[in-house]
Amino acid sequence: MSWSKKVFFYILTGLFFFSICFLYVKPTWLLEISFTKIRLRSHFQTQKSNISYTALQSSENVEMEHIALCPEIPTNLGPKVVDISHESLSNIALENPNVQIGGRSKPQTCIAQQKIAIIIPFRNREHHLQIWLHHMHPFLQKQQGDYGIYVIEQIENTTFNKAKLMNVCFKEAAKDYDYNCFIFSDVDIIPMDERNLYRCSKNPKHMANSLDKFNFRLPYDTIFGGVVAFTKEQFLKINGFSNRFWGWGGEDDELYNRVRSVGMRVERPDQVIARSRMIFHKRDVGNEETGKSTHHDNGLPHPLHDGTGSSRHESGSPDRKR
């Protein structure tokens, strides 16, 4: 066989074996490439489908991500008439369809400036609670608050410890939602002006500084009770209220001293805006005046050692009201 024929034979033989190898390998090789492309394209299509589905299923959440903060001062706020007639809890619920079970509500068209827990120490005052809820749900919604109302009740037949109840409820509410503002309110105080914003400030805030009971004047400079507001950080800084005040009186004066002892001051709104009505009532049995307003003044341990950090749950358990 000539040299040219041998070269031609080797070329044909090589092409034959290469064709066999190609035909054998091609299905696996092309299948892997094709499968990879299909898988990537399918994954991308599935992602798009999931995004569309999620947007349809949770359009409210998607919209909330794109809406603005509520205004710092809502519009159309002003004085209001406080009528002390009361409604049943069922009627209050019907009047406030945006309030969820647990006394929770937030704005529908904007993101609230603060997340607010309102804590009410309570015992045997159902009538006052109904009046308070009847007024305060519309009041808070008009102020565009993201809020929850917590009513904590001392169930044992013992001397009332208002401050300890508030300490306990603070800790429970903080577990429930990421509140950044805590307002502690007596159940018998109702604001008469919607411009008295139920929010926290740079310093602890006294919001009941103009009560009708005192002819809308501050009875003394260091009073700090009725309705007070703290950010979470402010309340922890003073370790909350003292747990040592049993019966009526003293815990609010001592609270003022706590605020001052850590270098903070008490803020108060304008006394015209802060006007509030106090519902008359007789003092409850077990909540008699104790005369302990100087409880921490005579050689006792530093007051900040006693407070929310040392409170226990034996006095009561929190209950959220609608």
Side-chain angles (χ1 to χ4, degrees):
M1 184 180 293
S2 65
W3 180 84
S4 59
K5 288 182 178 180
K6 287 183 180 180
V7 171
F8 181 72
F9 174 77
Y10 290 140
I11 291 172
L12 287 177
T13 303
L15 288 172
F16 175 75
F17 283 108
F18 178 77
S19 298
I20 292 174
C21 292
F22 179 78
L23 290 173
Y24 179 78
V25 173
K26 177 183 175 183
T28 305
W29 180 53
L30 290 182
L31 179 62
E32 184 177 350
I33 293 173
S34 299
F35 177 73
T36 303
K37 288 182 179 178
I38 291 170
R39 184 178 60 188
L40 291 173
R41 184 166 55 217
S42 175
H43 176 65
F44 177 69
Q45 289 176 336
T46 302
Q47 280 187 319
K48 289 176 67 178
S49 176
N50 285 343
I51 291 170
S52 300
Y53 179 77
T54 303
L56 289 172
Q57 292 296 313
S58 59
S59 58
E60 181 179 350
N61 292 337
V62 173
E63 290 172 3
M64 288 297 288
E65 292 177 0
H66 296 89
I67 64 175
L69 277 174
C70 300
E72 187 173 350
I73 301 178
T75 58
N76 302 319
L77 300 181
K80 65 189 292 288
V81 176
V82 175
D83 179 6
I84 61 172
S85 61
H86 73 285
E87 294 281 349
S88 66
L89 293 178
S90 59
N91 284 343
I92 293 170
L94 290 173
E95 292 170 355
N96 297 277
N98 291 329
V99 177
Q100 305 301 310
I101 297 298
R104 293 287 310 281
S105 181
K106 62 182 179 180
Q108 303 296 306
T109 59
C110 59
I111 299 173
Q113 291 275 338
Q114 296 180 6
K115 297 176 181 179
I116 307 159
I118 301 175
I119 294 172
I120 301 175
F122 178 85
R123 186 168 69 176
N124 300 326
R125 304 280 287 279
E126 197 71 33
H127 176 73
H128 290 166
L129 179 61
Q130 291 172 359
I131 297 172
W132 192 94
L133 291 171
H134 172 63
H135 284 282
M136 293 306 295
H137 273 308
F139 178 92
L140 294 166
Q141 290 175 76
K142 196 167 182 181
Q143 291 188 352
Q144 298 178 314
D146 180 356
Y147 69 90
I149 295 172
Y150 294 77
V151 177
I152 181 163
E153 183 172 10
Q154 185 168 325
I155 57 177
E156 293 182 1
N157 188 24
T158 58
T159 303
F160 196 57
N161 191 326
K162 173 183 173 182
K164 191 170 187 178
L165 290 174
M166 292 188 284
N167 282 339
V168 168
C169 200
F170 165 80
K171 293 196 290 188
E172 293 298 324
K175 297 175 189 175
D176 200 34
Y177 189 55
D178 57 337
Y179 294 112
N180 51 24
C181 177
F182 294 81
I183 298 177
F184 302 88
S185 176
D186 289 354
V187 73
D188 56 4
I189 296 178
I190 300 173
M192 300 170 61
D193 197 314
E194 297 159 342
R195 295 171 295 175
N196 187 5
L197 296 178
Y198 268 50
R199 293 186 196 158
C200 290
S201 298
K202 293 180 179 179
N203 286 284
K205 187 177 177 184
H206 185 206
M207 303 168 67
N209 57 306
S210 185
L211 296 178
D212 59 348
K213 175 183 178 180
F214 302 122
N215 296 317
F216 303 112
R217 296 178 180 178
L218 200 66
Y220 54 95
D221 290 341
T222 59
I223 190 171
F224 190 43
V227 184
V228 296
F230 291 86
T231 66
K232 186 175 184 178
E233 293 75 17
Q234 291 165 358
F235 195 72
L236 291 174
K237 189 174 183 178
I238 65 167
N239 197 18
F241 294 85
S242 168
N243 297 305
R244 300 181 178 183
F245 289 89
W246 297 87
W248 184 90
E251 80 287 334
D252 49 353
D253 293 331
E254 200 270 348
L255 185 67
Y256 180 89
N257 292 334
R258 286 176 176 240
V259 169
R260 297 296 294 166
S261 72
V262 297
M264 294 189 292
R265 64 181 182 85
V266 171
E267 292 185 17
R268 294 186 174 102
D270 178 85
Q271 284 194 290
V272 173
I273 291 175
R275 289 191 171 196
S276 301
R277 182 167 183 178
M278 177 177 279
I279 306 170
F280 174 78
H281 64 92
K282 294 181 179 180
R283 190 159 297 145
D284 303 327
V285 175
N287 193 28
E288 293 82 4
E289 186 170 358
T290 60
K292 292 183 179 179
S293 59
T294 58
H295 189 70
H296 285 293
D297 291 346
N298 298 314
L300 292 172
H302 192 280
L304 298 189
H305 295 166
D306 160 52
T308 188
S310 58
S311 61
R312 297 292 182 268
H313 288 60
E314 66 269 21
S315 290
S317 58
D319 179 27
R320 290 165 291 175
K321 296 287 187 179
R322 185 174 180 182

